[in-house]
């Protein structure tokens, strides 16, 4: 009979290795952390920031570059906030930390009418405070706990409600050019973070500023994406890959591509025109005398360029 504890330990090790790998890939792809960096991990008390700190602490020991870590939490003076939880945890794991005390709670409650979403103003006040601390303490990178699902949700929120094709970049220069924000969990799935948090039993602190109020639009995006993930496995990975594979000339933004300046060039050399058959094999139209490759791999035509192109289209139509 197999030992359930051993099985659980094996699952935990595999999951932890997977998350460390995805975080390492994101850091490498976007050059997020460099030698000599001082990285400020913004710790909210949620599963995402606990996971981020955990993995960065491991990478600090194993990475080929040396960097400094400091965990920073903003105590917004919410009623009932357990002020002892984060200091006790951070001392137990041995990471330098700082708690910023600033009463943004009163500001939000005073400005936002009762019943309205407070997340927007709360996040702006929080961001400004953390940026200020980073500048005053020689922080070179600010690490946030946004994961892949956050990025995809933001992408669709901007499409459906903002009329913009944008998301959260894995690495960002702030508007004032004074801070670089990194999101090392950019490749990491939320459900993997949830599993790790359950294994590690992090002391999660819920946001009770607004009764853990959900942003309804973001919640709708989460439900949509989770539905796609269950019904069409791999779809979310494909969508995220599309964010890394942008073709401005195939969109419609005149600020990104000079559509108005497009000009034909009658002197340009003829180019190879590929046709793709049903099984993914190319049927190629060569200038002057080409050949279309049918599904069995044999030449479908060896004739004029126009006939070869037609033959390639015939293959596609089969």
């Amino acid at each position: 009979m197999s030992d359930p504890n051993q099985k659980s330990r094996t699952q935990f090790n595999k999951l932890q290795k997977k998350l460390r790998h995805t975080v390492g890939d994101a850091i490498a792809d976007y050059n997020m952390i460099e030698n000599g960096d001082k990285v400020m991990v913004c710790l909210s008390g949620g599963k995402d920031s606990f996971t981020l700190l955990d993995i960065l602490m491991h990478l600090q020991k194993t990475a080929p570059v040396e960097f400094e870590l400091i965990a920073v939490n903003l105590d917004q003076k919410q009623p009932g906030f357990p002020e002892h939880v984060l200091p006790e945890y951070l001392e137990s794991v041995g990471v330098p930390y700082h708690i910023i005390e600033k009463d943004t709670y009163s500001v939000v409650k005073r400005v936002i009418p009762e019943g309205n979403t407070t997340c927007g103003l709360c996040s702006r006040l929080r961001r400004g405070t953390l940026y200020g601390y980073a500048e005053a303490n020689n922080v070179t990178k600010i690490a946030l706990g946004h994961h892949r699902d956050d990025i995809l949700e933001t992408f669709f929120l901007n499409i459906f409600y903002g009329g913009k094709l944008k998301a959260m970049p894995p690495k960002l220069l702030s508007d004032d050019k004074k801070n670089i924000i990194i999101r090392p969990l950019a490749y990491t799935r939320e459900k993997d973070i949830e599993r790790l948090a359950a294994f590690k039993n992090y002391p999660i602190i819920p946001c009770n500023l607004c009764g853990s109020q959900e942003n309804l639009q973001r919640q709708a995006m989460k439900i949509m994406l989770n539905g796609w993930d269950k019904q069409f496995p791999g779809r979310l990975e494909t969508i995220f890959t599309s964010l890394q594979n942008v073709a401005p000339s195939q969109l419609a933004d005149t600020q990104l591509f000079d559509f108005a300046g497009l000009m034909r060039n009658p002197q340009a050399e003829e180019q190879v025109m590929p046709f793709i058959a049903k099984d993914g094999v190319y049927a190629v139209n060569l200038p002057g005398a080409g050949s279309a490759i049918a599904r069995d791999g044999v030449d479908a035509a060896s004739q004029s360029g126009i006939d070869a192109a037609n033959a390639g289209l015939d293959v596609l139509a089969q």
Side-chain angles (χ1 to χ4, degrees):
M1 183 179 294
S2 62
D3 183 353
N5 291 329
Q6 180 61 37
K7 182 178 180 181
S8 179
R9 170 57 59 177
T10 300
Q11 291 174 339
F12 167 73
N13 288 337
K14 289 177 63 176
L15 177 63
Q16 188 167 242
K17 183 178 180 180
K18 177 182 179 181
L19 266 64
R20 289 172 176 173
H21 182 73
T22 59
V23 170
D25 283 349
I27 290 174
D29 288 350
Y30 294 93
N31 193 30
M32 292 185 185
I33 299 177
E34 301 169 89
N35 197 51
D37 268 340
K38 183 176 183 179
V39 181
M40 182 177 92
V41 181
C42 298
L43 195 67
S44 66
K47 67 183 188 316
D48 306 330
S49 58
F50 274 123
T51 299
L52 174 61
L53 177 63
D54 194 341
I55 296 175
L56 288 182
M57 288 180 66
H58 170 76
L59 291 178
Q60 187 182 35
K61 299 174 183 176
T62 60
V65 298
E66 293 186 2
F67 61 94
E68 185 180 346
L69 279 178
I70 179 170
V72 175
N73 169 257
L74 173 59
D75 179 355
Q76 298 174 275
K77 297 306 174 182
Q78 299 149 292
F81 182 79
E83 298 179 356
H84 64 286
V85 171
L86 288 178
E88 288 179 359
Y89 174 79
L90 294 170
E91 288 171 9
S92 72
V93 298
V95 64
Y97 71 91
H98 181 76
I99 307 295
I100 305 172
E101 297 187 12
K102 188 166 185 177
D103 187 2
T104 62
Y105 173 83
S106 296
V107 176
V108 172
K109 298 302 286 185
R110 184 177 69 251
V111 174
I112 303 297
E114 190 68 30
N116 288 13
T117 301
T118 60
C119 300
L121 177 59
C122 181
S123 63
R124 287 195 297 273
L125 292 173
R126 186 169 60 247
R127 183 165 58 245
T129 302
L130 291 170
Y131 283 8
Y133 179 86
E135 292 174 37
N137 290 273
N138 300 315
V139 168
T140 58
K141 303 287 173 58
I142 300 175
L144 303 180
H146 298 123
H147 44 68
R148 191 198 69 178
D149 298 65
D150 288 324
I151 293 173
L152 292 179
E153 288 164 18
T154 302
F155 176 59
F156 284 104
L157 277 171
N158 279 311
I159 291 176
F160 294 157
Y161 301 104
K164 297 179 180 179
L165 203 61
K166 59 180 286 189
M168 291 177 176
K171 186 177 182 181
L172 172 72
L173 180 63
S174 62
D175 291 340
D176 61 9
K177 315 300 182 187
K178 295 180 179 180
N179 293 288
I180 293 179
I181 294 84
I182 60 174
R183 297 182 170 101
L185 298 177
Y187 291 173
T188 307
R189 303 184 305 176
E190 183 175 22
K191 59 185 178 182
D192 289 334
I193 293 172
E194 290 173 344
R195 290 176 59 209
L196 184 70
F199 273 121
K200 301 282 282 190
N201 196 28
Y202 296 130
I204 305 297
I205 302 174
C207 173
N208 60 3
L209 174 63
C210 44
S212 296
Q213 178 188 59
E214 288 283 1
N215 182 311
L216 296 181
Q217 292 176 345
R218 182 170 290 277
Q219 186 65 12
M221 297 302 99
K222 186 182 293 289
I223 292 171
M224 179 186 75
L225 293 174
N226 287 340
W228 285 352
D229 193 34
K230 292 177 182 177
Q231 188 174 2
F232 308 104
R235 171 173 287 189
L236 300 192
E237 285 76 8
T238 302
I239 296 173
F240 187 84
T241 299
S242 74
L243 298 180
Q244 302 172 295
N245 189 22
V246 179
S249 66
Q250 307 304 303
L251 298 174
D253 191 334
T254 58
Q255 301 300 311
L256 291 180
F257 189 81
D258 184 15
F259 294 99
L262 286 177
M263 297 180 64
R264 59 184 296 273
N265 182 1
Q267 307 304 318
E269 296 181 4
E270 287 188 82
Q271 297 180 351
V272 172
M273 298 171 58
F275 297 90
I276 304 177
K278 285 184 178 180
D279 59 357
V281 177
Y282 280 110
V284 182
N285 167 28
L286 297 174
S291 64
I293 306 204
R295 296 182 66 189
D296 59 1
V298 301
D299 285 348
S302 179
Q303 45 199 291
S304 70
I306 293 177
D307 289 343
N310 289 335
L313 291 173
D314 289 342
V315 172
L316 285 172
Q318 291 177 5

